[in-house]
Amino acid sequence: MRVPAAAASLRYRDFRLIWFGQFVSTLGTQIQTVALAWLVYDLTGSAAALGAVGLARAIPMILLSLFGGTLADQVDRRRLLIVSQSILATFSALLALFVSLGLTDLALLYGFAAVTAAASAFDSPTRQAIIPALVPRDRLANALTVNVLAYNTASVVGPAIGGIVLAALGASVSFWIDASSFIAVVTALLMMRERPAVPAPVRRGIPALLDGLSFLKDHSILWQLMLIDFLAMLFASTLGLLPVFAQSVFDAGPRALGYLYSAPSAGSVLGAAIFAMIPMPRAPGRVVAIAIGFYGLALGLFGLSNHFVLALLLLAAAGMLDSVSMATRQTVRQLATPDEFRGRIGAVSSMFSAGGPRLGDFQSGLVASLIGPRGAMVFGGGACFLMAMSSAAWARRLWTYRGEEEMVSPAGQPDHTVRSTVGTVRDD
């Protein structure tokens, strides 16, 4: 079977299995996200309480991600993923059961957000670290972009389905769907033919964790990519205030909330699809900074919009810019990190990329409680734009990086052979 160059990495069976399993799981998670946000806001009517869901998720991610990444560099990553995905499925099923029995309260919802974030602190860096073992090095950039495309596609479809399910069948069904979706990932992991080699770190435990931080400190392009992403999400998280906009600004219901959640992901699908068909930019760090700046600008304009359709278009534009930034960041990070450090560097990246939006949700909720949702979105978007543009001064390596100087081979040596590929390949 001929595979287009834009999806060349799907030629490889084990990656294709994981890719599909993660797509289904992300679909379920997006459905759950809509239901959880709606329940919290419906129970409290408070933007600050809604933002506190982000705080409940951020704290475990920040505290545990480094330990999760260190573990991912020391054990069988496939088995660790099976365990973490099973734990996530179990907690989703328990929440579905409690909601079905009418035992819903705010503490339960915050607790669910916290424990699932704790499990994700081990799951996320492991998922990131296993991908380079499933495809050849010259297909890695494509694999990461295709991964982003799958995530964003699920993020378009999931919230739209979530809004419909929530309106028609209730929140408990949304959580049951989420719990069932983890079966796809576990099944894919069990069906893998290849068994990625277990990393053999020189040191273990805290010394290994410190080794990872030392590697990160010595590679400024890595920590600057993570920092600018963290600050962008801290200032201008897209999702935290959407239930407030749906109910209080646009005077709409759950289906409109689903559309609001889907709009940035729809733009992300377009951005990832375009990115998959073009070579890696010559100045990827600069592309990241500019994309993040205009992402903030789009969200600021969203906060000013009075028309629902225009609001959706602005969210889609923000999603497209975020997708370009995400795909570029992930590709540079994976290519610049040797395999023995991928779990730990992925953990720090997860801590930044997951902690930023959660803290951003909390920040936006507090600001919205003081100056309203529109003011909070304009403030956050403007701050994001100014931060990204000023990075030319405080993150000069980000703007001068050209994509080859620090790319390393699996052995940790410089690799100047990486290029984006064009044309078609055959399925094996």
Side-chain angles (χ1 to χ4, degrees):
M1 181 180 74
R2 295 182 68 80
V3 180
S9 54
L10 294 177
R11 165 186 177 181
Y12 303 95
R13 178 183 180 274
D14 286 348
F15 173 73
R16 190 166 61 240
L17 284 171
I18 297 298
W19 178 84
F20 179 75
Q22 289 183 352
F23 172 78
V24 175
S25 177
T26 303
L27 195 67
T29 299
Q30 294 296 324
I31 293 172
Q32 171 251 101
T33 297
V34 174
L36 184 65
W38 187 267
L39 276 180
V40 171
Y41 192 65
D42 192 52
L43 283 172
T44 65
S46 166
L50 184 60
V53 175
L55 185 63
R57 285 173 167 156
I59 292 173
M61 287 294 297
I62 292 171
L63 293 178
L64 298 176
S65 283
L66 281 175
F67 296 99
T70 302
L71 185 63
D73 281 339
Q74 298 177 353
V75 302
D76 185 328
R77 291 165 177 165
R78 172 179 162 274
R79 291 184 179 178
L80 183 55
L81 280 175
I82 292 173
V83 171
S84 61
Q85 290 285 310
S86 299
I87 290 172
L88 287 166
T90 299
F91 280 116
S92 289
L94 286 173
L95 180 62
L97 179 61
F98 282 121
V99 174
S100 297
L101 295 174
L103 302 177
T104 306
D105 61 39
L106 199 58
L108 174 68
L109 299 179
Y110 286 156
F112 171 77
V115 295
T116 54
S120 295
F122 292 84
D123 182 80
S124 181
T126 309
R127 278 189 290 110
Q128 295 178 48
I130 202 173
I131 291 175
L134 305 179
V135 297
R137 184 172 174 78
D138 63 344
R139 298 296 186 193
L140 180 57
N142 179 261
L144 295 171
T145 303
V146 168
N147 244 21
V148 171
L149 182 60
Y151 174 84
N152 290 332
T153 302
S155 297
V156 173
V157 179
I161 295 175
I164 294 171
V165 171
L166 182 62
L169 302 173
S172 63
V173 175
S174 300
F175 295 125
W176 283 119
I177 292 173
D178 178 44
S180 301
S181 70
F182 291 102
I183 297 173
V185 180
V186 174
T187 301
L189 291 164
L190 293 173
M191 290 177 63
M192 286 174 58
R193 289 174 182 166
E194 299 294 330
R195 297 293 184 265
V198 178
V202 176
R203 300 199 291 177
R204 293 180 177 274
I206 297 299
L209 188 154
L210 295 176
D211 287 344
L213 294 178
S214 178
F215 177 86
L216 179 63
K217 178 180 70 68
D218 293 337
H219 293 74
S220 58
I221 182 61
L222 294 176
W223 65 258
Q224 288 178 7
L225 282 169
M226 295 177 193
L227 182 59
I228 194 173
D229 175 48
F230 173 80
L231 292 174
M233 295 298 102
L234 176 64
F235 291 136
S237 176
T238 56
L239 303 182
L241 293 178
L242 293 187
V244 185
F245 271 84
Q247 289 195 33
S248 302
V249 176
F250 296 114
D251 193 24
R255 292 193 181 188
L257 177 61
Y259 295 144
L260 288 172
Y261 273 115
S262 294
S265 297
S268 295
V269 170
L270 178 60
I274 294 172
F275 194 84
M277 294 185 287
I278 62 175
M280 174 65 98
R282 294 290 296 173
R286 184 173 300 184
V287 169
V288 169
I290 293 172
I292 286 176
F294 282 91
Y295 159 86
L297 185 62
L299 290 182
L301 292 173
F302 164 75
L304 296 173
S305 174
N306 291 314
H307 302 285
F308 189 70
V309 174
L310 178 59
L312 293 178
L313 291 175
L314 288 166
L315 286 176
M320 182 175 67
L321 292 161
D322 184 46
S323 177
V324 171
S325 169
M326 182 190 305
T328 308
R329 292 194 316 269
Q330 289 188 4
T331 301
V332 171
R333 176 169 55 80
Q334 292 284 19
L335 291 174
T337 307
D339 186 63
E340 60 267 27
F341 284 103
R342 281 197 171 111
R344 282 162 286 181
I345 299 304
V348 179
S349 178
S350 295
M351 185 172 67
F352 276 81
S353 64
R358 273 53 175 188
L359 292 174
D361 289 347
F362 180 62
Q363 171 271 133
S364 62
L366 287 179
V367 174
S369 68
L370 297 173
I371 62 175
R374 289 187 181 277
M377 192 64 76
V378 172
F379 168 80
C384 178
F385 177 80
L386 293 175
M387 177 277 300
M389 295 301 101
S390 68
S391 67
W394 59 262
R396 293 187 62 82
R397 186 73 181 104
L398 185 70
W399 285 72
T400 60
Y401 181 70
R402 288 293 179 268
E404 291 183 352
E405 301 96 321
E406 297 182 48
M407 288 185 180
V408 295
S409 67
Q413 299 301 315
D415 183 349
H416 301 289
T417 63
V418 179
R419 287 284 189 274
S420 297
T421 55
V422 294
T424 56
V425 296
R426 289 188 175 277
D427 196 311
D428 51 359

